[in-house]
Amino acid sequence: MPIPKAELHLHVEGTLEPELAFRLAERNGVELPFDGVEELRAAYRFDDLQSFLDLYYRLMDVLRTERDFTELAEAYLERAAGQGVRHAEIFFDPQAHTARGVDIGTVINGLGAALDRSEAAYGITTRLILCFLRDESAESALATLAAAEPYLDRITAVGLDSAEVGHPPVKFVEVYRRARELGLRAVAHAGEEGPASYVWEALDLLEVERIDHGLRCLEDEELVARLVRERIPLTVCPFSNVRLRCVDTLADHPLRRMLDAGLVATVNSDDPAYFGGYVDQNLTATAAALGLTEDQQYTLARNSFEASFLDEPTRARYLAELAAHREASESDSASVSVPVSVPA
Ligand code: HPA
Ligand code: ZN
């Protein structure tokens, strides 16, 4: 059984597998510029964040109805259950849909229908995080938050994603202030391709509680010291970092250095349909590439629950489940008999 964990950095639109994309394209009469699943999958080779975003936004065009969003989220939850995910905090990008004429209510109600069934169907508790596209204007972000107000009972937090460089957090101070007034919590992508200064801004100006990615914090000792001291979680996505060429190979990934520095790192899948694997695959492949100890792998899982927006009783229940998983895995490995000496 995979280690129980929370997934805190997952774009639901990034879980759109080629097979589902073609099925929805056919159902909705949308032309995709690819001649089948194989050709589409072959297009999943990226030079940087922007080259990925171009395909990610293009493929979203197949998502049109509430049912489409429900099926998208259900497909993710079903896969996540098999990866040991017990809690998922799911990003969505309303502006990528409203810009195509899809109502924000269609998006939120469609996702919401899947999330309502998630605990009973998959044993996964969920939260929804509304992300603003940082390469759109601050006014567009404010209008998006206003349009989401009738659905706030479904939304836990706001986030910030899309093309990072040239779109610093300072651009979104007002919309984050408004989100706080509405009782929403806050996270932001920072330090993925953008500099460490964007991480400082996200903390000081947007008052976020977690940093998504945060890789480039390692370039700034004073920033690392602050993240450690204040126990600000980083939602790290190893496969994404390699596929978008933020890191050369998995063996070069700084996750182990992050843990050694005392950072509250978690492992996540970001856009698993595009980056070659879901969250447990990220964890196990990265652990193997970096030689992470069992202890470090359990620390990552514990961090994921501690960094989540769960209520305290549920958090405690998951942490107890994690501890029981560890005890069971230790007694399993202790019961494997090792030949001590073989008489000649
Ligand atoms: N970074 C920024 N925006 C995104 C990402 C990402 O990794 N995935 C989907 N939107
Ligand atoms: Zn992301």
Side-chain angles (χ1 to χ4, degrees):
M1 260 300 284
I3 297 181
K5 58 183 79 65
E7 175 146 61
L8 307 178
H9 186 155
L10 180 280
H11 302 264
V12 74
E13 297 91 346
T15 70
L16 180 60
E17 293 282 346
E19 292 77 6
L20 182 57
F22 273 98
R23 193 154 61 71
L24 297 182
E26 185 166 60
R27 187 160 88 199
N28 293 325
V30 176
E31 276 283 337
L32 284 178
F34 298 95
D35 193 19
V37 166
E38 288 316 311
E39 191 183 306
L40 176 53
R41 220 179 263 288
Y44 289 9
R45 301 169 59 86
F46 310 111
D47 299 323
D48 55 14
L49 175 57
Q50 188 61 56
S51 64
F52 154 70
L53 291 171
D54 292 343
L55 182 63
Y56 169 81
Y57 294 127
R58 179 73 189 76
L59 225 53
M60 271 181 219
D61 198 27
V62 303
L63 296 162
R64 299 284 175 96
T65 67
E66 271 190 35
R67 180 180 166 202
D68 299 341
F69 287 94
T70 304
E71 288 180 14
L72 177 69
E74 281 183 335
Y76 162 68
L77 291 163
E78 187 175 353
R79 280 178 180 262
Q83 302 266 317
V85 173
R86 305 290 288 109
H87 177 68
E89 303 197 347
I90 299 176
F91 295 139
F92 72 111
D93 287 333
Q95 288 153 293
H97 310 299
T98 55
R100 304 181 287 110
V102 177
D103 188 78
I104 194 167
T106 300
V107 181
I108 298 175
N109 288 332
L111 296 174
L115 304 195
D116 285 346
R117 292 195 283 271
S118 175
E119 196 167 3
Y122 308 108
I124 300 177
T125 48
T126 60
R127 299 285 187 276
L128 207 47
I129 302 180
L130 182 156
C131 286
F132 304 114
L133 301 184
R134 68 202 306 155
D135 43 356
E136 297 293 331
S137 67
E139 292 70 30
S140 172
L142 278 163
T144 301
L145 184 57
E149 282 195 35
Y151 309 98
L152 285 190
D153 56 338
R154 288 208 175 271
I155 295 168
T156 297
V158 293
L160 190 61
D161 64 4
S162 201
E164 185 180 9
V165 175
H167 302 285
V170 63
K171 184 173 159 187
F172 297 97
V173 167
E174 193 181 344
V175 73
Y176 270 68
R177 183 165 42 74
R178 178 71 188 136
R180 268 197 308 283
E181 283 170 8
L182 292 170
L184 296 170
R185 307 182 70 165
V187 301
H189 285 53
E192 180 185 17
E193 286 186 345
S197 64
Y198 286 17
V199 178
W200 284 106
E201 276 187 23
L203 296 172
D204 290 334
L205 305 182
L206 305 186
E207 301 182 32
V208 301
E209 295 175 65
R210 300 196 295 249
I211 296 288
D212 297 313
H213 291 298
L215 282 184
R216 291 190 61 192
C217 76
L218 294 168
E219 297 168 17
D220 182 336
E221 261 179 50
E222 203 185 320
L223 176 57
V224 170
R226 176 179 179 184
L227 293 167
V228 170
R229 192 173 59 245
E230 298 183 12
R231 288 193 60 76
I232 294 162
L234 305 179
T235 63
V236 179
C237 307
F239 283 9
S240 167
N241 298 149
V242 173
R243 292 294 185 105
L244 301 186
R245 306 201 185 176
C246 297
V247 169
D248 289 338
T249 70
L250 218 45
D252 301 307
H253 197 283
L255 181 64
R256 186 168 161 169
R257 273 198 287 142
M258 292 170 136
L259 291 171
D260 290 343
L263 287 161
V264 183
T266 66
V267 167
N268 308 271
S269 69
D270 205 4
D271 301 284
Y274 293 87
F275 299 150
Y278 285 74
V279 63
D280 197 60
Q281 293 158 323
N282 270 266
L283 179 63
T284 53
T286 309
L290 299 178
L292 297 184
T293 62
E294 283 268 296
D295 202 48
Q296 285 172 315
Q297 294 176 58
Y298 278 98
T299 295
L300 288 163
R302 201 171 53 248
N303 288 348
S304 73
F305 292 119
E306 286 176 352
S308 73
F309 294 141
L310 277 165
D311 59 276
E312 294 311 322
T314 313
R315 191 195 320 276
R317 177 160 61 81
Y318 287 145
L319 287 170
E321 191 185 324
L322 181 63
H325 186 280
R326 182 165 197 177
E327 265 184 38
S329 89
E330 277 168 1
S331 62
D332 279 356
S333 49
S335 69
V336 175
S337 62
V338 179
V340 177
S341 66
V342 181

